[in-house]
Every structure is written in C-alpha cells, then in structure tokens.
Amino acid sequence: MMLALELLGGIGLFLLGMSMLTEGLKLAAGDGLRAILRNWTRTPARGLISGALLTGLVQSSSAVTVATIGFVNAGLLTLRHAVWVIFGGNIGTTMTAWLVALVGLKLDIGAFALPIIGVGVLAQMLGTKRPRVSGSGQALAGFGLFFLGISILKGAFDTLLPWFETLDLSRAGFFAPFAFLVFGMVLAALAQSSSAAIAIILTATAGGGLPLELAAAGIIGANIGTTTTAVFASAGATPAAKRVALSHIVFNIYSGVAAFLLLYPLVAASHWLADILLADSKDEPLTLAIFNTLLNVLGVLLIWPFANRLVDWLQQRYVAPEESIGRPAHLDPTLAAVPALALRGLVLEIQRMMTLAFARTEARLAPAARRPFNENGDAGILALGQSIRDFIADLSRQPLPSDVVNALPDLIRSIHHVEETVAEAAAISQGPQPPGSLITGPAWDRLRAGILAALETNSGDPDAFKTEFDSEMDEVDEAYEQIKKDLLASAAAGRINVDAMEAALLRARRMRRVAEAALKAERRLCTWAPIASGRVDTAPPEDA
C-alpha cells in the first residue's frame, strides 16, 4: 500500500513539476515563443528546427502545439508550415528523457531538489510585479519538483526490483513487446504526457529489472498514447485546429508502427551510439533516451517524402462551409507558369468572390425576415481574398508580360473594394439598430435601390461602365444627402432623439460606402474582365 502511494506521489510531483516548468518558461519568454513561430517557420527545415528547439526549451510539445494551432487559426501560419513545427516538437520533447537519463538518475538530485524549489518559489513571490522574474522562479521550482518526483520514483522502483526479477520478463515470449507497447500507450493516455510515461519507464529500467527491448516497446507506446491529448484538445475546436491535431496523431502512429517493426535493430543502434557517446552501452536509461530520439528522427525521415501528400489529405478533412468558399475555384499553382492563363484565372476568381460578397451584402440589407445567411461566411470570403493575394505574390516572383503587370494593381484594388463591401455590410447588420420609423421613406427607398443597382455585377464595356458608375453613384449620393438633411432637421426640431438620429445617419453613411466600394470593385475589374472570355484588353482603367 505504501509503495503504491509512493509511486503515486512521485508521479504527481513529476507532473506538477513539468506543468510549472512549462508555464514558468512560457511566462519568462514573454512573446518570444510567438515571435519565433511567426518568423522561423517559413520552410520545412526551419519549421522542424523551430519546433524541436522551442519544445526542448519549454519542455512541452503541448505548449508549442497550442501556439501553432493559434497561428494557424489566425492565418499567420499555414498548415503546410505548421505540420513541420509539430514534427519538430516530437523531436524536442525527447529532451525530457535525456534529462532523466543524464541527471535525474545519475545524481542524488533529491538532496538539493528542495533548496531549488525553495529558491524558485521565493523568486516567484518576489517577482509578482515582474512577469519574467516570476516566470523564471516558477520554472525553477518546477525543475526542482520534476527531479524530486524522479527521485521518489527511483526509490519506489528500487523496492520493486526483486519482484521484477522474479517475473523473468526476458522469457516472456513474442507477445511481450506488444504487451509493453499497449502498456506504454495506456500509461501515457492516463498521465496525458508521454514525458511522464517515458520517465517512469526509464526509472523502472535503471535498476536492471526491466529488459531493454520491452522498455523500448513501452516508449513507442508512450509516443503513440500521447496522441490522446491531441484528440481531447481538438474536440469542439476549429477545423484548422483539428487538422493540426490530426497531423500530430498521424505522425506519432506512423513513426510508432515503423519503430515497432524495427524494434530490435533500433535497440542495437541505440546500444552502439551509447557506447560511442559515453563508452557505456550498459547504461540502459541513456540507451533508452537515445532510442526515443531515434524513434522520432526516424519518423521525420520516413514521413518527409510524403509530407506534401499528408498536408493535401489533411486539407480535405473537417472542411467547414466558409472554408469551401475560401478555396479558389479557378486558381492552381500550375497556372503561374503561363501568365496569360494565370491572369484569366485571377479575373474569374475575383468575379466569383465579387458575386459571393455582393449576394451576402444584398441579403444583409434586405428586411430581417428575408436574411438567410450565415455570419461565418464572411470569413470564407476574406480567406478567398487572401488566397488570391497569395497567388498574385507567387506570380509576381517571375518575369511577366506588360499586360499582366498592368492588370495586377487593379485586380488587387478590386479585391480590397470587395472586402470593403463585406466589412461595411457586416457593420450595418451588427451595429446599433435605429428605430424602424427612421429608416423608412422615399429617400431610404432610393438609397436601397441605388445600392442594389450597384451590387449587380457588370463585366461589359469599360467605357459604358464609367457612365453607369457616375450615374449610380450620383443617385446614391443624392439619396444619402436627402436622408442626412431630413435626420438633422428632425433632430434640431426635437422630433427625434439625437442618439437615434446618429444611429440612423451612421447606417445611411455605411450604406453609401457599400455602394461606393461595390462600384469601385466592378470598375477596377471591368477593364480586365474580357480576359475571362479569351480577349485581353491592356488599357488600364481610370482611377476610382
């Protein structure tokens, strides 16, 4: 009974120490974690190295994974880059095993763990107004608890050593490695930490009672079992978060299955490397730390050739309606090799974006009973605009014909104006709503009619559209000025509340901006629209 409580207490101290160490280092680092993820993940190799270094620093692949998911959700990091950070995080998390093998089981660190905890807690208390000092103190206290837990576990497993020897696990047969694989999975799932499970396995191996091959199988299981954390974290999360979590699951299972099939060769290689590093291949915890690193490095090497296919497969998972909108229908990376075709695809895609945005804007401006749209669709249209911009950026990296060069600035401006219509329409429906009596009447009817006319996409003759642009904008301006005049006069005469007047005036102003942005978007695209029909017109439009 006491032994069970000792084991439980050691595991609890270890997990508490890991948690405090992680949170403290994140607090001490400030925005450093975010800055590195944002600036150092632009290529697969840099993402891999960044993930490994950051995870080794904060001692938590979960912390790096959560930050990575946040950047994917914010659009600052693509899934293609994020998966490499996740892969690197799996390598970085092996640092815990090295700490246990080289420090926790080599030194009597339990003797000075308590002073470390005391100094850390004191620094945390004295640095309450200085986050970096407080975070450093918390990390130091966590470091002490981490090794105090290891010391207690080591003592408990020393007591269990005679029992291990009576089991004679080396003769357990063919199914023994599989049994320890499952044991490692269950242990990591229960502890919600592969580091905790691996530390327990390394500590159990230090006394020599657990055969190395079986301990290695347990480590493989711990790496697979830690994917339950990603499963729990992704429950109810956004599609982007679920894809990042799924990449973590796929990698760990893929590398785990490969390592289990190569269990004995990998253990032999770990023995050989331990002999080279410290001339001591009988140091089983060190050998297992090497094995854990080889396991994750092997996974990266095996998945590298298929990484792009994995990302493409992940992109098809958990697709939300707004993401379907945000994926280009007419753009493909292969088009960039033929600028004329790329320009045609850009015009068609912007026309699609314009049609989607204008339809949603029209629905928003309709009476509330006839407004069948999902607010989340705005994100899809904005994502589509960013995808078009990204395509333009890639296209601009090569020499382009003059007609394409002339067209790109207008196409970018057209995207911007379409996004303006979405933003202004959203502000109208989500902003302060004036009394219904203040937004009715002939002038309001004229304003709505003018906006609806502006939202009718036009890809005809550019010269004819200039006249149409001026005519429709004049109609909207006249209606807006009449509304403003009527509202100000009513407020001055005391017939309406000033706050209600300002809400109605703001609504009219935003409606006018919707019409102006829509007409500007059409005007910018109008000159280049004939490209979609196969005829290139190189004359740039006038400023709008």
Side-chain angles (χ1 to χ4, degrees):
M1 181 64 179
M2 290 301 298
L3 181 60
L5 292 175
E6 189 176 358
L7 284 170
L8 187 62
I11 294 171
L13 284 174
F14 175 86
L15 292 175
L16 178 61
M18 285 289 296
S19 176
M20 291 181 64
L21 179 62
T22 297
E23 294 302 319
L25 287 172
K26 286 195 294 182
L27 185 61
D31 293 330
L33 176 62
R34 296 181 178 275
I36 293 174
L37 276 177
R38 185 172 60 247
N39 299 322
W40 291 90
T41 57
R42 301 187 185 280
T43 65
R46 289 172 68 174
L48 185 73
I49 294 171
S50 299
L53 291 178
L54 286 172
T55 305
L57 173 66
V58 302
Q59 282 296 291
S60 172
S61 59
S62 298
V64 175
T65 300
V66 169
T68 303
I69 288 173
F71 277 103
V72 172
N73 282 337
L76 300 175
L77 196 63
T78 66
L79 178 64
R80 200 168 297 276
H81 293 151
V83 295
W84 288 101
V85 179
I86 299 299
F87 298 163
N90 280 274
I91 295 177
T93 199
T94 63
M95 182 62 68
T96 304
W98 285 95
L99 283 174
V100 173
L102 295 176
V103 181
L105 298 175
K106 297 290 186 186
L107 305 176
D108 185 16
I109 199 165
F112 54 90
L114 292 177
I116 292 176
I117 295 170
V119 172
V121 171
L122 182 63
Q124 184 180 9
M125 294 174 61
L126 295 177
T128 52
K129 295 184 178 180
R130 301 174 65 184
R132 292 185 183 274
V133 174
S134 177
S136 299
Q138 183 177 346
L140 187 60
F143 190 74
L145 286 172
F146 171 88
F147 284 110
L148 183 60
I150 292 295
S151 177
I152 294 174
L153 283 175
K154 185 175 183 296
F157 280 113
D158 285 344
T159 305
L160 282 174
L161 181 59
W163 179 72
F164 273 118
E165 291 175 346
T166 61
L167 294 178
D168 196 10
L169 293 171
S170 60
R171 299 182 181 179
F174 175 78
F175 293 103
F178 181 76
F180 271 81
L181 175 76
V182 175
F183 169 74
M185 292 170 61
V186 173
L187 191 60
L190 291 175
Q192 285 295 288
S193 169
S194 62
S195 297
I198 291 171
I200 293 171
I201 294 171
L202 262 64
T203 308
T205 311
L210 186 62
L212 194 64
E213 289 78 8
L214 300 186
I219 287 177
I220 296 173
N223 277 274
I224 297 175
T226 193
T227 59
T228 57
T229 303
V231 172
F232 295 146
S234 63
T238 63
K242 289 181 178 179
R243 291 188 202 108
V244 175
L246 184 57
S247 71
H248 175 65
I249 295 169
V250 170
F251 174 81
N252 283 40
I253 293 177
Y254 182 67
S255 58
V257 170
F260 190 72
L261 294 175
L262 298 172
L263 177 62
Y264 291 96
L266 282 177
V267 170
S270 301
H271 267 301
W272 177 70
L273 288 173
D275 197 42
I276 291 177
L277 289 175
L278 293 179
D280 188 4
S281 61
K282 295 182 179 179
D283 187 337
E284 294 190 339
L286 174 64
T287 303
L288 288 175
I290 295 172
F291 175 85
N292 188 34
T293 303
L294 288 180
L295 156 65
N296 286 283
V297 171
L298 174 66
V300 171
L301 293 177
L302 291 177
I303 209 167
W304 197 301
F306 310 105
N308 288 334
R309 293 183 184 179
L310 173 62
V311 171
D312 292 339
W313 178 77
L314 290 171
Q315 292 282 20
Q316 305 304 317
R317 309 276 80 79
Y318 313 112
V319 179
E322 57 267 27
E323 289 185 300
S324 298
I325 295 173
R327 291 183 179 175
H330 303 285
L331 299 179
D332 186 273
T334 58
L335 290 179
V338 186
L341 292 179
L343 186 55
R344 175 184 171 88
L346 281 169
V347 171
L348 289 171
E349 200 62 59
I350 296 173
Q351 284 180 338
R352 172 175 171 257
M353 178 185 180
M354 188 180 294
T355 300
L356 292 168
F358 288 4
R360 289 179 58 77
T361 301
E362 183 177 344
R364 272 197 165 104
L365 297 178
R370 297 189 293 110
R371 195 179 293 161
F373 59 86
N374 180 356
E375 294 284 348
N376 293 332
D378 288 352
I381 293 174
L382 297 179
L384 179 57
Q386 187 58 52
S387 296
I388 299 172
R389 287 190 180 92
D390 291 342
F391 183 87
I392 291 174
D394 292 337
L395 183 65
S396 300
R397 293 191 179 99
Q398 60 180 308
L400 298 173
S402 60
D403 59 327
V404 178
V405 173
N406 291 335
L408 292 182
D410 289 306
L411 298 183
I412 294 172
R413 292 289 296 277
S414 183
I415 297 168
H416 174 72
H417 291 314
V418 172
E419 291 170 339
E420 278 186 301
T421 66
V422 174
E424 292 295 342
I428 291 171
S429 63
Q430 297 167 5
Q433 301 300 314
S437 59
L438 294 187
I439 55 175
T440 57
W444 284 97
D445 292 340
R446 285 180 61 194
L447 180 59
R448 290 191 185 92
I451 294 172
L452 293 177
L455 293 174
E456 292 179 4
T457 54
N458 187 315
S459 58
D461 179 65
D463 295 329
F465 183 72
K466 182 183 184 304
T467 303
E468 183 182 338
F469 176 97
D470 294 336
S471 173
E472 292 182 356
M473 201 63 228
D474 287 344
E475 180 69 15
V476 169
D477 283 338
E478 289 175 8
Y480 169 71
E481 291 298 331
Q482 185 61 52
I483 289 171
K484 183 167 67 171
K485 179 180 177 181
D486 293 343
L487 287 172
L488 291 173
S490 296
R495 291 191 297 270
I496 62 174
N497 180 277
V498 173
D499 290 339
M501 180 273 293
E502 289 182 345
L505 189 58
L506 178 61
R507 183 183 183 89
R509 187 181 303 121
R510 284 173 170 162
M511 290 174 70
R512 181 193 175 279
R513 289 174 183 166
V514 167
E516 183 179 26
L519 288 169
K520 284 183 176 181
E522 294 176 63
R523 186 176 183 181
R524 289 285 175 181
L525 188 64
C526 186
T527 296
W528 311 104
I531 297 172
S533 302
R535 181 175 63 85
V536 177
D537 187 343
T538 59
E542 298 180 21
D543 247 357

